[in-house]
Amino acid sequence: MEEVSSNQLNEAQYKAVHHRGGPLLVLAGAGSGKTRVITERIGALVERDVPEDAITAVTFTNKAAREMRERLEKRLGEDKVKRLRICTFHALGLMIIREHAKLVGRRARMSIFAVPEQKSAMRSVLADLKLPTDGDQVDRVLQKVSMLKSGMSQAQDNAITVIADKYDALLQKMNAVDFDDCIVLPLRILTDDAEARALWQSRCRHFLVDEYQDSSRMQYDFVRLLAPGNANLTVVGDDDQSIYGWRGAEIKNLFQLERDYPTLEVIKLEENYRSTGSILQGSNSLIAHNSERLGKTLRSNLGLGKKIRVWQAETADEEAERVTAEIRAQRAGNKLGWDDFCVLYRASFRARAFEMAMREAGVPYHVSGGMSFFDRAEIQDLLAYLKLVGNFSDDLALMRAISRPRRGIGSKALEVLGQFAHEKQCSLLEAALEDDFTHSKAHVLRAFAKMLVDIEHVFLHGEADDAFDMLLDESGLEEAIRTEAEDEDEAERRMGNIMSLRRWWLRHSESGGDLSSFLQHVYLAADEQDDEPDGQVRLMTVHAAKGLEFSHVFVVGMEAGTFPHKNALEENRLEEERRLMYVAMTRARHRLTLSFAKSQKKFGQVEKMGPSPFLKEIDADVLNWVDKDSGSEEDKAESKAEVDAHMAAMREMLGLD
DNA sequence: AACGACATAGTTTTT
DNA sequence: CTATGTCGTT
């Protein structure tokens, strides 16, 4: 994905790729060929006959892991790459938990609780304690519990500690783990159990960590346990691109490395192969306002190129229309594809205006993130069944599954069943199977439970497609979808989603995976279903854009209060917002446009907005403020900018500056 | 038990 | 303006 002007590695890249053993820190600026260095390094290790099983590379996103894998497949072939451990932090953590489940009170085939499940679990904990259970309260408590679990905050609040313990106990009872557990539990396993530690250290004899600036303290502890002392640890990161502080990422980890690894070698990659000189100069001048830096200046390998445009619009709708029109014009004029364009915004609600404008103009677009495949009701329903088949202890999955399709079981009956299960110390599903469970709906519950036992049998011993089809049929899910849909089209669409999950499952099953590993994969790799949309303009948040690059980038919503976001300012995170802006700008290869709307609709009310202070921090020499309705002036300004740029390049070449 | 009508409160970023 | 939660009705 990153374009590299030459196939040869530059000196710094070469040193990083061929570094022989011992801890290594690669400080890699935006567009400096970071991914290439990691993949080439792994390739070199394999070609040096390091066993694949001794190599582990962790990333923060599935996208990054997938890309690394794809690149290596080209170089090493599928067989070798299959044996390499290339995955996200969370997936690695889950592998460890699965292998040593007993040590943390779990059984194999555990469920993963993503946000909706976490909420339900927390809601039931709060209800038990007679505390308020409105969504707001649940969110707040969950966040505090998460902070406590991941060591970000000390236990100052006793109530939270009690809640956290109850919540953890509930998850354990349901044989489930949440996202935090994927890091916390392995940490416990590796700390407490010397044998497990030795095993995983041997699997991480060559340990590589990507996007290290986004690691939390726990993740760093995790790294140190897996790669202690003088290990062959390679971490790659960029202090200027640390944008997950709100999720516990600590740039400090980058500085701390030198203390924890005295033999650490540091290599800086400062050659940028991506952006034009103006874009880089603008980005550099912005980030120079930060004080919390290691200090690094990117050098461009391309010409100065065009100036960074700044646009102002009256309203957000007008902004969207203007950007859309410009994309159409540029594409036509420069024989570019739709996917050479990207619109970036600070907050996802900004996407809406662009979606409407592009739909109106017939511009094909794709919104990354947002309503995902997994948020659809039919997928959630199906996943509930699958989870229950895979883990009978998952009471939450049972509650969802049993109410779709409707079986006349509601909160009343479930409460009685829950009471009974509590007395018997078993799961809801097991309770329903007990002969001495009596209730007016007992036969319905029992039939439901028996059906799941039958389905499980086929999943364990039968063919993957038979099992899936049996589930669809016997559960009544397919029928429910077909009868409840408004029209034929909707039914087809929903069944299409079901079928695409089916294909995914078959593919997984063919490569030897079971239901439980399928579900874990699905839950940790939610973005993977988003098939890379070719030939569409990409709309996404700045966070989602990290690691990507586009020929033409529009950073929209450049208003004071939205970017930098005012909540972030209140929380003292101006520098992080600036890094975010830096990430946004450095996505662009040839053309960067920053735009803002002078007014915004908020809850139906119109509010005046001012330009982002970041606009003043960017070197004015590379900015070109372009007014609306002045296309010709824009051209003039552009050509003047080009002349200026050309002159500057000449001066530089002659060494006159 | 399930659905629909109302009120109400709230817009950051996500593995 | 909208998504979510609460309440009252079938």
Side-chain angles (χ1 to χ4, degrees):
Chain A
M1 209 174 275
E2 280 166 54
E3 189 183 293
V4 175
S5 61
S6 117
N7 283 326
Q8 292 250 295
L9 295 168
N10 68 34
E11 198 185 329
Q13 288 174 330
Y14 185 90
K15 270 172 70 184
V17 167
H18 298 287
H19 172 78
R20 286 267 169 176
L24 169 70
L25 168 61
V26 181
L27 284 171
S32 64
K34 177 198 67 155
T35 309
R36 182 172 178 215
V37 164
I38 297 197
T39 50
E40 296 231 356
R41 178 159 174 78
I42 294 173
L45 287 173
V46 172
E47 279 160 10
R48 245 209 261 156
D49 292 329
V50 171
E52 287 86 3
D53 185 54
I55 301 174
T56 301
V58 295
T59 60
F60 279 82
T61 62
N62 297 295
K63 211 193 292 167
R66 195 181 352 149
E67 189 183 338
M68 210 179 277
R69 204 168 265 286
E70 277 165 11
R71 286 203 198 183
L72 279 164
E73 263 173 26
K74 280 189 202 128
R75 169 159 177 178
L76 300 172
E78 211 178 310
D79 284 352
K80 282 186 174 169
V81 175
K82 231 186 241 166
R83 290 199 294 273
L84 293 166
R85 229 171 274 101
I86 302 177
C87 58
T88 63
F89 253 109
H90 287 79
L92 178 65
L94 197 65
M95 282 165 79
I96 297 176
I97 300 175
R98 272 165 72 98
E99 201 164 325
H100 310 277
K102 257 184 279 165
L103 294 176
V104 286
R106 303 298 200 280
R107 283 161 283 122
R109 303 176 61 193
M110 68 218 47
S111 295
I112 294 185
F113 280 8
V115 179
E117 293 91 348
Q118 284 183 285
K119 284 188 186 179
S120 309
M122 185 55 82
R123 179 160 297 184
S124 107
V125 167
L126 293 178
D128 258 11
L129 293 167
K130 308 270 184 279
L131 292 166
T133 59
D134 56 291
D136 219 39
Q137 208 43 237
V138 171
D139 288 352
R140 234 192 299 275
V141 173
L142 260 179
Q143 205 197 333
K144 283 192 178 165
V145 166
S146 166
M147 301 253 283
L148 184 67
K149 272 170 88 166
S150 51
M152 276 171 73
S153 71
Q154 305 305 319
Q156 334 119 338
D157 191 346
N158 200 35
I160 293 294
T161 316
V162 172
I163 295 171
D165 287 347
K166 285 216 154 214
Y167 170 81
D168 282 339
L170 179 60
L171 261 59
Q172 188 171 340
K173 192 183 132 221
M174 293 196 262
N175 196 29
V177 297
D178 66 15
F179 284 133
D180 292 325
D181 290 333
C182 290
I183 308 297
V184 176
L185 297 181
L187 208 52
R188 205 149 86 207
I189 291 167
L190 295 174
T191 309
D192 295 349
D193 192 281
E195 211 171 298
R197 188 165 63 242
L199 176 65
W200 283 95
Q201 280 176 352
S202 84
R203 288 171 178 169
C204 301
R205 288 203 293 285
H206 290 270
F207 194 42
L208 300 95
V209 184
D210 191 17
E211 304 278 19
Y212 180 72
Q213 75 282 351
D214 290 327
S215 66
S216 66
R217 221 200 64 199
M218 287 242 143
Q219 284 165 330
Y220 184 36
D221 291 343
F222 194 19
V223 168
R224 274 190 307 180
L225 275 168
L226 289 169
N230 229 3
N232 302 310
L233 171 67
T234 301
V235 307
V236 183
D238 180 1
D239 50 319
D240 291 332
Q241 292 187 71
S242 171
I243 56 175
Y244 286 101
W246 51 274
R247 211 176 64 191
E250 299 189 7
I251 316 189
K252 289 208 290 265
N253 289 345
L254 219 40
F255 309 83
Q256 188 64 33
L257 270 177
E258 286 199 283
R259 264 172 276 172
D260 292 333
Y261 293 90
T263 58
L264 182 77
E265 186 169 339
V266 181
I267 297 174
K268 285 188 187 184
L269 305 181
E270 296 178 296
E271 299 279 320
N272 177 293
Y273 296 91
R274 180 187 294 158
S275 310
T276 64
S278 297
I279 291 170
L280 225 45
Q281 194 180 327
S283 311
N284 282 336
S285 62
L286 175 90
I287 201 68
H289 287 82
N290 270 7
S291 56
E292 213 182 25
R293 305 183 65 206
L294 287 170
K296 187 166 38 44
T297 304
L298 289 179
R299 294 183 295 270
S300 174
N301 258 318
L302 309 171
L304 266 181
K306 296 194 166 160
K307 286 196 178 186
I308 300 169
R309 279 186 300 196
V310 184
W311 283 358
Q312 39 194 320
E314 291 304 318
T315 65
D317 291 340
E318 188 191 301
E319 176 187 44
E321 281 163 26
R322 189 168 176 195
V323 168
T324 303
E326 172 70 3
I327 289 174
R328 290 183 67 163
Q330 287 280 343
R331 187 188 84 108
N334 298 332
K335 54 175 182 165
L336 292 164
W338 293 117
D339 48 7
D340 286 317
F341 299 88
C342 174
V343 178
L344 298 179
Y345 34 80
R346 173 68 244 261
S348 49
F349 74 94
R350 273 273 176 164
R352 182 162 284 169
F354 289 88
E355 280 192 78
M356 293 200 303
M358 290 188 184
R359 184 166 306 197
E360 185 87 10
V363 171
Y365 66 89
H366 177 264
V367 185
S368 303
M371 171 91 160
S372 94
F373 181 74
F374 295 96
D375 297 333
R376 301 175 206 217
E378 64 276 14
I379 294 298
Q380 286 289 328
D381 293 342
L382 177 55
L383 284 174
Y385 276 97
L386 290 169
K387 276 178 20 163
L388 188 54
V389 170
N391 175 13
F392 286 171
S393 301
D394 193 335
D395 293 347
L396 292 182
L398 182 137
M399 290 192 265
R400 171 138 199 162
I402 206 161
S403 58
R404 260 153 273 226
R406 306 208 169 88
R407 294 179 169 84
I409 303 291
S411 50
K412 265 287 182 30
L414 282 175
E415 205 172 299
V416 177
L417 182 66
Q419 198 58 46
F420 183 79
H422 187 71
E423 280 162 25
K424 292 263 172 179
Q425 285 293 302
C426 67
S427 68
L428 293 180
L429 191 136
E430 285 160 344
L433 289 170
E434 292 283 331
D435 286 331
D436 50 339
F437 175 64
T438 49
H439 184 266
S440 60
K441 299 279 174 56
H443 63 286
V444 180
L445 289 163
R446 198 159 296 137
F448 179 78
K450 282 192 172 145
M451 170 186 82
L452 283 155
V453 172
D454 291 346
I455 294 174
E456 186 211 15
H457 183 83
V458 182
F459 265 95
L460 289 177
H461 308 293
E463 296 298 321
D465 51 350
D466 291 343
F468 194 97
D469 295 338
M470 174 180 176
L471 170 63
L472 265 189
D473 182 36
E474 304 222 340
S475 67
L477 253 189
E478 176 164 4
E479 201 191 334
I481 288 170
R482 294 200 185 279
T483 53
E484 282 171 25
E486 297 272 319
D487 52 64
E488 195 63 18
D489 277 358
E490 192 192 329
E492 280 314 308
R493 221 188 49 242
R494 286 172 188 271
M495 280 313 292
N497 289 333
I498 298 276
M499 286 304 146
S500 96
L501 198 72
R502 183 180 187 272
R503 280 193 298 277
W504 199 2
W505 154 242
L506 294 185
R507 214 180 323 133
H508 180 89
S509 154
E510 269 163 30
S511 54
D514 64 1
L515 178 59
S516 166
S517 70
F518 173 67
L519 288 169
Q520 292 173 0
H521 183 71
V522 162
Y523 270 79
L524 287 182
D527 64 344
E528 232 168 78
Q529 189 65 17
D530 249 14
D531 18 37
E532 283 297 306
D534 278 357
Q536 291 176 307
V537 176
R538 304 286 300 270
L539 310 183
M540 66 184 95
T541 64
V542 182
H543 281 89
K546 193 165 71 158
L548 304 179
E549 63 177 39
F550 299 89
S551 176
H552 286 47
V553 170
F554 296 82
V555 185
V556 302
M558 291 296 305
E559 297 106 26
T562 56
F563 204 177
H565 197 277
K566 72 173 181 6
N567 292 359
L569 294 185
E570 279 163 22
E571 289 160 40
N572 248 341
R573 293 209 320 267
L574 173 64
E575 298 219 342
E576 179 156 312
E577 292 290 299
R578 199 178 276 117
R579 289 192 291 270
L580 197 51
M581 181 66 199
Y582 176 77
V583 168
M585 294 174 74
T586 52
R587 297 312 93 199
R589 289 214 296 265
H590 306 303
R591 201 86 165 88
L592 175 61
T593 307
L594 314 177
S595 89
F596 65 96
K598 289 191 235 172
S599 72
Q600 221 184 124
K601 262 198 218 133
K602 238 179 192 174
F603 317 134
Q605 225 95 78
V606 179
E607 198 178 305
K608 283 250 174 265
M609 306 295 285
S612 164
F614 288 155
L615 292 172
K616 291 197 209 77
E617 296 179 355
I618 300 168
D619 189 344
D621 293 350
V622 294
L623 288 187
N624 178 22
W625 290 69
V626 187
D627 281 328
K628 202 185 129 231
D629 299 330
S630 57
S632 53
E633 262 182 63
E634 175 180 341
D635 289 342
K636 259 187 269 167
E638 276 302 319
S639 48
K640 183 174 179 301
E642 279 183 56
V643 173
D644 286 349
H646 188 70
M647 294 297 286
M650 296 285 279
R651 275 203 300 277
E652 199 173 310
M653 251 169 65
L654 298 168
L656 288 180
D657 274 346

